[in-house]
Amino acid sequence: MTPTHAPAAPILQARSVSKFFGAITALRDVNLQVGKGEVLGVVGDNGAGKSTLMKVLSGLYTPSEGALLFEGGEVRFDSPRASRKIGIEMVYQDFALAGNMSIHENIFLGREVKKPWLGLPLLNKKAQREQAQEHLNRLKIHVKSVDQNVEDLSGGQRQAVAIARATAFDAKLVIMDEPTAALAIKEVGKVLDLIHTLKEHGVSVIIISHRMDDIFYACDRVMALYQGTNFAESLIGNTTRNEVIGWIMGTKGNTTGLAHDSVAA
Ligand SMILES: Nc1ncnc2c1ncn2[C@@H]1O[C@H](COP(=O)(O)OP(=O)(O)O)[C@@H](O)[C@H]1O
Ligand SMILES: [Mg+2]
């Protein structure tokens, strides 16, 4: 597909990426690019390959064919750790937080703030609490206290903490797979505003969502996958909800009458 709406300097590019699982082709020659500070929406029906593509971009899967370029140079990830190292973070659908631990412990899980004491790295809880609070402030995330246990938070607050965790260490690109799917309606807006805040900080975001409201509120550009291939893409201002819903169903052109509430909901 010709990248007609390509950002000037993509931070991440997938070029002709295919992914096979045995006889199943999950992705075929897929191209994707996202610019610095750009929010890219990825849409597609169930089984279109969205999650597989994100797992390739975040290093959980290696592509069967094709290449990834980060800031113009080819990269190969053998694990999510490798992609994280260069600033790509994935926020998983199930949040992946430790419920019985505090907010600051979750944000720093595996990357605790240490201060040397008699030559031993000791956990510096005070510094960690402060840094967690500063980071939440930067992202305009409001919690009662960073000492609150994550299991006592609402779904939206947990999602916010998961995003704070993903962005606490110089993330350049955050990938979110259906970040609003499990949230109450009144919490969705806060998560979408958080995406705007990330953009203000120059962070790039790729967001998968089946909610047209999310896509049209949060994204600069939208691309549709259909049966594992690129189907269509557009700057958000040059398309409509109905057109994008049509893409999800594999139709282009005249989309009159395709405003299915079940898809738009
Ligand atoms: N680990 C896997 N093993 C085999 N097939 C898979 C695996 N992951 C995904 N698939 C298949 O790849 C296709 C794309 O799946 P997926 O990326 O999950 O789609 P989406 O996220 O768009 O719903 C589907 O046909 C799915 O069954
Ligand atoms: Mg999926």
Side-chain angles (χ1 to χ4, degrees):
M1 196 185 66
T2 348
T4 39
H5 312 286
I11 181 163
L12 182 70
Q13 265 180 289
R15 279 200 191 151
S16 280
V17 164
S18 298
K19 181 66 184 175
F20 313 120
F21 296 104
I24 296 169
T25 300
L27 298 172
R28 163 80 68 192
D29 285 334
V30 171
N31 293 304
L32 172 151
Q33 45 214 313
V34 58
K36 183 173 159 58
E38 185 183 37
V39 183
L40 172 68
V42 176
V43 297
D45 204 355
N46 282 340
K50 306 179 298 293
S51 294
T52 303
L53 180 57
M54 297 311 126
K55 287 172 185 169
V56 167
L57 299 182
S58 64
L60 198 63
Y61 293 157
T62 48
S64 309
E65 292 171 1
L68 301 181
L69 285 83
F70 189 78
E71 294 179 334
E74 188 167 345
V75 285
R76 284 165 207 267
F77 306 132
D78 53 9
S79 68
R81 187 184 295 267
S83 71
R84 249 184 167 181
K85 241 185 176 161
I86 62 167
I88 299 175
E89 290 276 352
M90 176 110 178
V91 179
Y92 288 94
Q93 229 162 343
D94 57 8
F95 309 152
L97 296 172
N100 59 348
M101 291 170 76
S102 70
I103 293 172
H104 71 83
E105 285 166 334
N106 268 281
I107 289 177
F108 284 92
L109 198 61
R111 301 178 280 200
E112 287 81 3
V113 177
K114 304 274 175 65
K115 67 174 173 199
W117 184 76
L118 297 180
L120 294 170
L122 269 198
L123 178 65
N124 186 346
K125 198 168 168 185
K126 183 166 175 285
Q128 183 173 294
R129 292 178 73 261
E130 282 167 12
Q131 287 177 29
Q133 187 61 61
E134 280 166 19
H135 185 57
L136 292 172
N137 292 348
R138 263 198 302 277
L139 297 179
K140 301 174 201 160
I141 297 171
H142 303 287
V143 293
K144 265 186 228 151
S145 155
V146 292
D147 293 317
Q148 266 186 296
N149 266 3
V150 160
E151 63 199 358
D152 298 329
L153 302 175
S154 69
Q157 284 176 314
R158 280 207 297 277
Q159 182 63 273
V161 170
I163 294 169
R165 172 175 154 69
T167 54
F169 299 89
D170 299 323
K172 293 181 175 170
L173 169 68
V174 181
I175 300 172
M176 304 182 190
D177 193 344
E178 298 275 1
T180 62
L183 301 186
I185 293 292
K186 66 176 164 57
E187 295 192 311
V188 168
K190 287 187 185 160
V191 169
L192 297 178
D193 285 335
L194 181 48
I195 292 172
H196 281 168
T197 307
L198 292 176
K199 180 184 167 67
E200 282 166 21
H201 286 284
V203 176
S204 310
V205 178
I206 300 177
I207 172 177
I208 296 179
S209 183
H210 67 275
R211 291 169 32 94
M212 289 304 113
D213 287 347
D214 293 7
I215 297 292
F216 280 80
Y217 184 79
C219 299
D220 300 305
R221 195 157 51 87
V222 57
M223 67 172 266
L225 293 178
Y226 186 73
Q227 296 182 349
T229 59
N230 287 107
F231 189 75
E233 70 172 85
S234 174
L235 291 172
I236 210 74
N238 296 344
T239 185
T240 62
R241 284 165 165 74
N242 278 357
E243 186 177 43
V244 175
I245 291 166
W247 295 349
I248 292 170
M249 296 187 293
T251 57
K252 280 185 200 171
N254 184 4
T255 54
T256 334
L258 283 177
H260 281 242
D261 289 336
S262 56
V263 187

